[in-house]
Amino acid sequence: QWYSSSMNDGKTNPVKIYHLLLRLVEGDINDAGLAELKAWFQQEQAIPIYWEFIKNYTAVKLYEETSAESFGQMDLLDNSMDMDLWLALADDEKNAPEVHLPACPQKPVRQWEKPAAVPKVTAGSSKLSMFSLIASLAAILFLVVYAYFVPKASRGFEVATLADSINAKWADDASMKPGTRLVTGQAKSLLRGGLAKLVFDNNAVVTIEGPAEFEIISEDRIKLQYGRLYSIVPQEALGFSVTTPNAMVIDLGTQFGVQVDFQGTTELHVSQGKTQLIAGENKNKVKFEIFEGSARKISGISSDITDIPCNNFIFVRQINSQTNLIWRGQPSISLADITGGGNGLGTGRLGVGIHPLTGEIGDIVAEDRMGEGKYITVPQNRYIDGVFVPNGQFSPVVVSSKGHIFTECPVTNNIFYMEIINSKLTDPAVPMLWKEAAPGSGIYGSNTCPSIFMHANLGITYNLDAIRSDFNGAEITRFTAEAGLSPSATRKGNVDVWVLVDGNVRYCQKNITEKGKSYPIEIDIKKTDRFLTLITTDGGDIDYPEPARRATDSDWALFANPELVLTTGQVH
């Protein structure tokens, strides 16, 4: 029995571990050594180290059964042999007690008997059979040790993280929280309701909508027993797959949704790129390549495969619990809704204003106030970078938290009359009525017809990168809106409307005086653009001290239907 004293320095000694492993496989380890090995096997790196030891041990045993010359030709024992194992073997050999073997009595050979001939065994067959035997024993030993030392609950591998959830109701509430690592080989997870976002270590993102039952099969495979699942797969995770009771979907660089009902019927909807669909049973399995905009249905009863219309809006693609974002692939988001404290998809409040001097979101006050020449951030809404009162008379006008400057800002009277408002039709202090010069009319100030009311002089900047981050898988391609003077203004107004991207003027309409006339805005947004800024200025009228004769009087400007247009583009 051999066992060295316990390690008490808190660090793992690789030579000592190899000593203990040698004693284990040779069958002469004592209880103390076994206990220390059992504790060591709880470490994350233990199993790979042990498997490497088994391979090296097998090679050494094979070497002992062959000549050095013939073994060298097999190229099994190379420079990758762990030096710690050699040190352990050398130390073991040096300290091993001398063993005296008793003489083996030989059976006398009778004079009339001829010794039987011993068949010659070639070196090649001997080495091969010996190697196979040792390798088989090593593999069996590995499995036995693994089963003995590693607790059942940790025998899988961590391959994904529960990154976020909204109103998620799990069968096991205690174990499934954002940040939980997900392991292969565990029992199926049951999401009774709500939404969950899984991020695999290869960066594949899977959003699951309950009720759903699923299982993590491997680092690049998930099984959906029933429910809805949407997968966004980047290039580094190419080959990620989703299996169902009667099909397998293999990613070929794409985004796709999978739905399985309680009868086992599977639907595949490909939003982008292409996938490979494998369906059917046994010898009747078939393979298809399903391209963007296509969908297939596999019957849970007959396994028949049929074409169905592709529905890009039934699957939840992204969630964000901080902003209550639930995105089903809508092609645009509303900046008016974001101005009202929402996420761009209708969660904002109508009639809410952002104070340009404090950045606070709250009630509306209708009175003249002076600007302070400062750029104010809005920490309450991650999609809004900041607000300001534009006036080019004094210091440079900063229009972003990164210091972008509005160099073309005109001189204004430095007065604003109301906050920046997500318009509300029923609020008498906020004029919403909009009568277009062209045939037809619109009434803005509702969730269906949103608008931003910006009585000159005001400015607001939106953080495009924050929006991109939460709408992962989408690309912002354009900004569209209609600008003009509300016909509800009491007197004649004169307003300038500006749109900036990273401090550069991309749109300007000066001296708007005709009430109800709309001016269409359409601006391309590049991937590198970070900030979008909307500004209204007073038009340069003479400023009189009387309230009714201010340069800002009746400058009731609107940005109607202000939207960021999204496209899923290509996965990068």
Side-chain angles (χ1 to χ4, degrees), residues 201-426:
D201 294 347
N202 59 10
N203 293 325
V205 178
V206 172
T207 303
I208 301 174
E209 183 176 2
E213 186 177 294
F214 65 92
E215 180 182 359
I216 306 297
I217 303 299
S218 68
E219 70 277 4
D220 60 357
R221 180 175 298 180
I222 184 172
K223 183 175 183 180
L224 181 65
Q225 193 68 26
Y226 62 84
R228 283 180 181 170
L229 173 156
Y230 192 83
S231 177
I232 299 176
V233 184
Q235 287 296 326
E236 59 266 30
L238 193 70
F240 183 87
S241 63
V242 177
T243 63
T244 73
N246 60 358
M248 174 184 287
V249 182
I250 302 175
D251 157 75
L252 299 177
T254 188
Q255 296 184 29
F256 60 91
V258 177
Q259 175 179 281
V260 183
D261 65 19
F262 291 107
Q263 285 72 45
T265 296
T266 298
E267 290 187 15
L268 166 65
H269 298 254
V270 181
S271 303
Q272 176 187 322
K274 64 179 180 179
T275 67
Q276 184 177 81
L277 171 64
I278 303 174
E281 297 180 352
N282 301 326
K283 296 181 180 180
N284 296 324
K285 285 187 181 294
V286 292
K287 295 181 182 180
F288 300 93
E289 282 194 353
I290 312 300
F291 293 87
E292 179 176 329
S294 300
R296 296 291 188 276
K297 181 177 181 179
I298 304 97
S299 171
I301 299 174
S302 63
S303 296
D304 290 341
I305 303 171
T306 56
D307 292 350
I308 58 174
C310 184
N311 190 332
N312 286 323
F313 306 120
I314 64 172
F315 297 95
V316 176
R317 303 188 183 195
Q318 287 292 336
I319 64 172
N320 187 314
S321 58
Q322 293 183 352
T323 61
N324 199 33
L325 172 67
I326 301 175
W327 182 48
R328 294 184 181 271
Q330 294 93 322
S332 64
I333 58 176
S334 170
L335 293 186
D337 183 72
I338 290 175
T339 304
N343 54 34
L345 299 176
T347 61
R349 292 181 295 155
L350 295 173
V352 171
I354 304 176
H355 198 299
L357 301 184
T358 65
E360 295 178 353
I361 301 173
D363 296 332
I364 302 165
V365 177
E367 66 178 20
D368 285 341
R369 286 155 288 177
M370 299 290 293
E372 298 178 352
K374 298 178 181 179
Y375 183 81
I376 307 298
T377 59
V378 183
Q380 290 178 261
N381 192 325
R382 59 186 262 103
Y383 298 159
I384 299 177
D385 186 66
V387 291
F388 57 96
V389 177
N391 180 19
Q393 182 175 2
F394 304 112
S395 59
V397 179
V398 178
V399 297
S400 80
S401 58
K402 297 300 181 182
H404 293 100
I405 304 297
F406 180 20
T407 58
E408 299 180 39
C409 181
V411 175
T412 71
N413 69 359
N414 198 38
I415 290 175
F416 69 96
Y417 180 67
M418 287 186 184
E419 285 72 18
I420 303 167
I421 305 167
N422 179 25
S423 301
K424 183 177 181 182
L425 182 62
T426 58

Side-chain angles (χ1 to χ4, degrees), residues 511-559:
N511 302 120
I512 300 174
T513 59
E514 184 178 346
K515 299 177 184 179
K517 181 179 180 179
S518 64
Y519 293 84
I521 302 172
E522 185 168 340
I523 295 172
D524 290 335
I525 302 294
K526 298 181 293 186
K527 296 178 182 179
T528 54
D529 294 337
R530 296 190 60 184
F531 301 102
L532 176 72
T533 304
L534 308 183
I535 302 173
T536 58
T537 54
D538 59 33
D541 295 334
I542 298 175
D543 191 55
Y544 295 96
E546 297 87 354
R549 301 183 67 189
R550 293 282 193 191
T552 49
D553 180 55
S554 295
D555 289 352
W556 294 3
L558 288 175
F559 286 91

